[in-house]
Every structure is written in C-alpha cells, then in structure tokens.
Amino acid sequence: MFYTILDFPLGKIFLAKSEKGLSLASSLKNRNRFEEITEFFKRKSILLELQRKEFHREEKLFSQYFEGKKEDFTSLPLDFISGTPYQRKVWLETRKIPYGKTQTYKFIAEKLNHRGYRSIGQALSQNPLLIVIPCHRVLSSDGSIGGFTGGLDLKKFLLRLEKP
DNA sequence: TACATAAGAATAG
DNA sequence: CTATTCTTATGTA
C-alpha cells in the first residue's frame, strides 16, 4: 500500500492506494489524525510505503478540482479496505451524485429501500474517500447543511467550490 | 420559526 | 444489549 500527502487550500490530505485503486483520502485536520490512520493500517496488517510518483493521476485530479474545475472522480478505480456491504452501497450511491448537484439523506435512504435516514449519515461518517465520494453533496431534506465529521467548514468550502 | 422528542436502520463495543 | 451517528417527522409554543 502506497501513500502520499497532498496540500490543499484548507490543509493537507492523506492518500493511500493499492494495486487495485485508491483506498483512502482523508483530511489531516489535526496532528493525531495521521497517527490514527497509520494505526488503522497497522491493525489491518497493511504496510504503508511513502511513494509519491504512484499518485500522478490523483495529484492532477485533486489540484484541478481545487482550482474550481469540474472534475469527474467516478472513473478513478477504488479499493475499499474498510466498511460493511451496506456502507459500500451507500458510498457507491453517493458517488453517483454529479458535480455541482446535491441530494438528501432521505433520497439515498429510499434509493436503498430503507427508512433508516440516520444509518445513511452513519455510513457517510465512515466515508474513507473524501471528495472522491462526494459526501459533501448530501444535505438535509430541508436544504440545510447537515453535519460533517471532517468539519463543517470543509463541507461548506467544497460546496462553494462547485457552485459557480 | 424554533426547540424538544420519538422513530428509525445499521454499526461498534 | 447499549450507545452512537453527516436524519426526519411530529408536536408545542
């Protein structure tokens, strides 16, 4: 498993990928976040190796995205290393939301034939792929911003970035 | 409109 | 089983 760290307007972002695809994209909001991530891989007996040149494609995508360009991450290969089947379904469904559009937790819940609105939030809170899985495009049904584990300022920033 | 509460699905411990 | 979660619907003022 390779990893690298990218700079972006609100801080740094941790990327990890295997041979199959991208596994983790997480904001390094605080110092302990890096420790948490390395500890997570350690518990899974996955070795991490700093290897920047493996991330040419991702680096380009992210930098262009943060320049305000309409980037499509749906073609990027992924490799889930965590999450239950239900959570992965939620993530894949969230991933279908196009650039600049928003959906509601309710919509996704009904899409999966469930009434468990909160379980959608619970699943998204476990989202390992920031931006690639656009959890920031999911709002509350009344249009309010909802919550965001990675910090509400980050969610607002991403939404403003996509709204021309 | 603004809170308080209940209901609800799934997960971690 | 209990607590928790990036929710929603209903009741009350």
Side-chain angles (χ1 to χ4, degrees), chain A residues 37-73:
Chain A
I37 293 173
T38 50
E39 184 64 27
F40 171 78
F41 281 104
K42 196 174 176 183
R43 288 192 62 83
K44 288 205 168 265
S45 303
I46 298 177
L47 288 182
L48 282 175
E49 187 181 340
L50 182 58
Q51 184 63 264
R52 197 178 209 152
K53 47 186 177 178
E54 288 289 325
F55 292 89
H56 273 330
R57 186 177 176 190
E58 288 81 1
E59 243 181 298
K60 191 178 177 184
L61 272 175
F62 276 85
S63 65
Q64 287 187 139
Y65 176 81
F66 286 119
E67 282 174 18
K69 295 194 175 182
K70 182 178 173 179
E71 281 304 326
D72 187 18
F73 290 91

Side-chain angles (χ1 to χ4, degrees), chain A residues 89-144:
Chain A
K89 270 197 276 184
V90 174
W91 296 339
L92 291 178
E93 198 60 42
T94 304
R95 207 185 177 207
K96 293 180 188 171
I97 305 174
Y99 186 98
K101 285 218 160 190
T102 58
Q103 277 300 349
T104 63
Y105 297 98
K106 180 184 178 182
F107 178 84
I108 298 180
E110 289 174 349
K111 202 99 160 121
L112 299 177
N113 296 319
H114 288 301
R115 281 177 258 170
Y117 318 116
R118 296 211 69 160
S119 64
I120 301 293
Q122 181 270 141
L124 288 180
S125 75
Q126 301 301 120
N127 173 22
L129 290 161
L130 185 68
I131 299 170
V132 180
I133 294 174
C135 45
H136 56 279
R137 295 185 195 136
V138 187
L139 307 179
S140 298
S141 62
D142 60 358
S144 61

